[in-house]
Amino acid sequence: MRPNPLRLEGDRRLSRIAGPSSLVIFGVTGDLAFKKLIPAVYDLAAGGLLHPGFSVVGYGRREWDDEQFRALVLESIQSHAREPFNDDVFASLREGLRFVEGTFDNPDGFTRLAEVLRELDRTRGTAGNHAFYLSIPPSQFPVVTEGLAAAGLSQSREGGWRRVIIEKPFGQDENSAAELNATVERVFPADSVFRIDHYLGKETVQNILALRFANSMYEPIWNAHYVDHVQITMAEDIGVGSRAGYYDGIGAARDVIQNHLLQLLALTAMEEPVSLEASAVRAEKEKVLEAIAPLGHIPTSAARGQYLDGWQGGQHVKGYLQEDGIPADSATETYAALRLEVNNRRWQGAPFYLRTGKRLGRRVTEVAVVFNDAPSHLFPEVKQSQLGQNALVIRVQPDEGVTMRFASKVPGPAMQVRNVTMDFGYGHAFTETSPEAYERLILDVLRGDAPLFPRHREVELSWRILDPVMAEWETSGKPEGYQPGTWGPSSADQLLARDNRVWRRP
Ligand code: BG6
């Protein structure tokens, strides 16, 4: 008998295949579903990671039948999937595609949804296991979760599970996050709620755990005795684009620091968890977030900016205030930087600097751990500033990998030294390509595997760090303008200059 290619002995995917289930997407005609969620489902199917009966139900207002939904799914896959298009994979997926027409507040829509899910249980063997993806504004969460409850869809039945997936923003501050959480958890038990932070689905972000805890050489120096400071950068070269409605009034700090950057900080700074179980990993991240000292004087521990119109990459680009849908007097920041101190034995004395912005020099996300200066008495001709500092840079994207920077002798008769780098790149080291973040996260939801999903407490602690900054900014005028294509406002440079440090120029 020929071995089934999906069931090879020792196949590492085996333990990762999702059981029978379906995914219901609310907001299925939106951008996220089209560009990320549907392509991720296809890529999982193409990788043999989904059950053959896996089904996707789109729920929305359009007067569509299943065929119209299937056409949308096909277009989304053809334009955004990572894996090459395969007729057989699509044909099998297509069989399990259903569309339910309904508004969020109409009980009839939810009744029809319940019927369709029962039909899928019967015909596709989805076994009563259903995940509900709320790719909709948080203001709609209460009505949708209550609609699900009223139609009997929120409670696990006959051994089947029910899970709900929610996207940020998880509130606008600590209080609204708590309210939102209460709304969702009134209907779904806490362990059935999966909060997506798509950065945690990125391979390079998960590699922070492997780098730190699957090696022995970093641990002894991973503390303030050896680390001078840490810089976490998430820079984008794009502007706000068509997302004015979401972004204005939210801004860079709420959009990205509250979630992605504080999660990167937590993974970089946390202690080794006792296992990779969700509760163990989350507990260690929470301890770090809890140990972050409250920001005292905001003007000296935070900086903000707003991009002006100007030139970027040979093109003239609009300033934030000229973008479509942005009020001409908006004070929303498109750049934010924070200086944070983690008050525990490992990190006291080594600050963490976080920055993010739109319309910056280039798209790059990295965590740079910068080490103390070496004594330079043996190299009197070399200025310390030329030597720079040793650094370990986790390159989250693009050009995923890790760089180590250290000094080396320049060939020649003199004892000259210069900084050089040693690189690990995913593209060179592995033949496997990295899955998209949403593939990993959707698979984990279907498998009920939660370490990559922040629980409510983490969200709450992150807001607690940010709330005083936002309160100060709301009452202190406008952000400083910065030119597109640069590395942000001068106040961000001063933030580090006060500590005799400079931002990296990635
Ligand atoms: C999102 C933010 O969470 O992350 C966006 O809302 C940002 O403003 C995006 O553009 C960046 O994601 P990525 O994966 O391209 O770095």
Side-chain angles (χ1 to χ4, degrees):
M1 197 174 75
R2 279 191 30 221
N4 177 340
L6 280 184
R7 302 268 179 246
L8 286 179
E9 193 67 32
D11 185 338
R12 280 173 297 129
R13 293 175 307 172
L14 209 60
S15 60
R16 302 283 316 155
I17 294 174
S21 48
S22 78
L23 180 70
V24 180
I25 307 178
F26 290 88
V28 76
T29 51
D31 236 29
L32 183 74
F34 190 77
K35 292 190 179 147
K36 300 284 182 192
L37 308 184
I38 296 169
V41 165
Y42 175 82
D43 289 328
L44 288 171
L49 292 165
L50 297 180
H51 185 268
F54 179 77
S55 303
V56 178
V57 183
Y59 185 99
R61 258 176 315 203
R62 305 218 179 159
E63 290 177 11
W64 273 2
D65 58 18
D66 291 345
E67 285 309 315
Q68 281 162 302
F69 180 50
R70 287 170 178 157
L72 171 96
V73 170
L74 177 63
E75 192 190 335
S76 149
I77 293 170
Q78 287 180 327
S79 44
H80 293 292
R82 187 173 59 84
E83 297 280 350
F85 188 79
N86 177 304
D87 288 323
D88 295 339
V89 174
F90 181 67
S92 141
L93 205 56
R94 188 180 186 286
E95 292 291 300
L97 297 176
R98 304 281 186 280
F99 187 78
V100 175
E101 183 202 330
T103 55
F104 296 154
D105 57 359
N106 177 357
D108 294 347
F110 288 88
T111 309
R112 280 196 295 277
L113 176 62
E115 278 161 20
V116 167
L117 292 179
R118 274 196 298 276
E119 179 260 312
L120 290 171
D121 286 345
R122 266 193 330 272
T123 58
R124 306 264 305 164
T126 44
N129 297 325
H130 305 296
F132 302 99
Y133 202 121
L134 308 192
S135 177
I136 53 177
S139 57
Q140 304 291 326
F141 288 1
V143 64
V144 172
T145 49
E146 274 148 31
L148 289 169
L153 286 171
S154 58
Q155 298 297 323
S156 304
R157 294 252 168 106
E158 293 147 19
W161 49 253
R162 303 291 155 93
R163 295 176 187 142
V164 66
I165 308 161
I166 56 179
E167 280 278 343
K168 75 182 178 72
F170 309 125
Q172 291 238 20
D173 53 25
E174 194 183 341
N175 288 338
S176 54
E179 268 172 44
L180 194 68
N181 191 57
T183 302
V184 176
E185 291 190 3
R186 242 194 317 272
V187 172
F188 287 91
D191 61 1
S192 304
V193 181
F194 289 72
R195 292 174 190 79
I196 295 256
D197 183 321
H198 80 280
Y199 262 63
L200 297 179
K202 291 183 191 270
E203 276 294 328
T204 37
V205 172
Q206 293 160 45
N207 192 37
I208 298 176
L209 292 181
L211 182 99
R212 293 194 54 204
F213 304 127
N215 294 298
S216 56
M217 66 185 188
Y218 302 114
E219 175 54 24
I221 54 170
W222 208 262
N223 55 58
H225 295 302
Y226 297 92
V227 173
D228 180 69
H229 70 280
V230 178
Q231 293 189 17
I232 303 183
T233 300
M234 177 190 161
E236 295 184 283
D237 51 5
I238 52 170
V240 70
S242 56
R243 296 173 73 225
Y246 157 76
Y247 196 85
D248 196 62
I250 296 271
R254 287 190 176 108
D255 182 36
V256 161
I257 293 187
Q258 184 271 334
N259 37 75
H260 309 327
L261 295 198
L262 284 173
Q263 286 289 327
L264 287 176
L265 181 154
L267 291 172
T268 307
M270 73 185 206
E271 297 303 314
E272 183 167 344
V274 287
S275 74
L276 289 176
E277 294 287 308
S279 57
V281 175
R282 288 159 158 181
E284 294 307 334
K285 284 195 290 174
E286 282 166 18
K287 283 187 212 158
V288 172
L289 294 172
E290 213 155 359
I292 292 179
L295 287 174
H297 184 239
I298 305 296
T300 50
S301 47
R304 63 178 166 153
Q306 193 182 64
Y307 62 83
L308 300 165
D309 70 319
W311 292 86
Q312 188 181 31
Q315 268 193 329
H316 188 262
V317 294
K318 287 182 189 169
Y320 181 71
L321 298 180
Q322 290 89 48
E323 299 273 16
D324 294 342
I326 302 293
D329 61 349
S330 171
T332 299
E333 83 284 356
T334 60
Y335 177 101
L338 297 185
R339 176 192 189 281
L340 297 175
E341 287 176 9
V342 181
N343 267 342
N344 60 20
R345 183 173 284 239
R346 187 187 281 271
W347 292 114
Q348 209 160 45
F352 282 70
Y353 301 99
L354 274 47
R355 64 174 162 168
T356 183
K358 299 212 182 271
R359 287 259 178 260
L360 297 183
R362 57 180 281 241
R363 174 174 182 255
V364 60
T365 300
E366 62 168 40
V367 177
V369 180
V370 182
F371 293 90
N372 292 336
D373 290 341
S376 58
H377 61 277
L378 282 182
F379 311 98
E381 321 86 283
V382 184
K383 282 204 219 119
Q384 192 69 48
S385 61
Q386 282 171 342
L387 259 187
Q389 291 164 310
N390 294 158
L392 182 94
V393 184
I394 300 165
R395 303 193 313 268
V396 173
Q397 65 186 25
D399 185 23
E400 292 81 358
V402 179
T403 300
M404 237 194 257
R405 183 180 70 192
F406 54 96
S408 180
K409 182 180 173 304
V410 179
M415 191 41 136
Q416 287 270 330
V417 295
R418 199 165 67 205
N419 279 311
V420 294
T421 56
M422 201 155 78
D423 270 345
F424 145 64
Y426 277 75
H428 293 120
F430 299 113
T431 50
E432 297 93 337
T433 54
S434 295
E436 282 283 323
Y438 279 96
E439 291 174 49
R440 172 64 195 263
L441 296 174
I442 291 174
L443 184 63
D444 282 2
V445 173
L446 300 178
R447 300 186 69 254
D449 204 6
L452 299 180
F453 298 85
R455 69 180 161 197
H456 176 61
R457 178 93 179 116
E458 286 168 73
V459 173
E460 192 179 88
L461 289 167
S462 307
W463 280 122
R464 199 168 290 175
I465 296 162
L466 217 57
D467 280 356
V469 182
M470 303 318 298
E472 165 89 13
W473 287 353
E474 258 148 45
T475 55
S476 56
K478 292 201 155 192
E480 183 191 344
Y482 60 92
Q483 291 297 327
T486 64
W487 286 94
S490 60
S491 53
D493 293 331
Q494 286 149 24
L495 186 72
L496 267 70
R498 279 191 284 275
D499 293 345
N500 287 323
R501 297 187 176 108
V502 289
W503 289 110
R504 287 169 43 78
R505 291 280 179 262

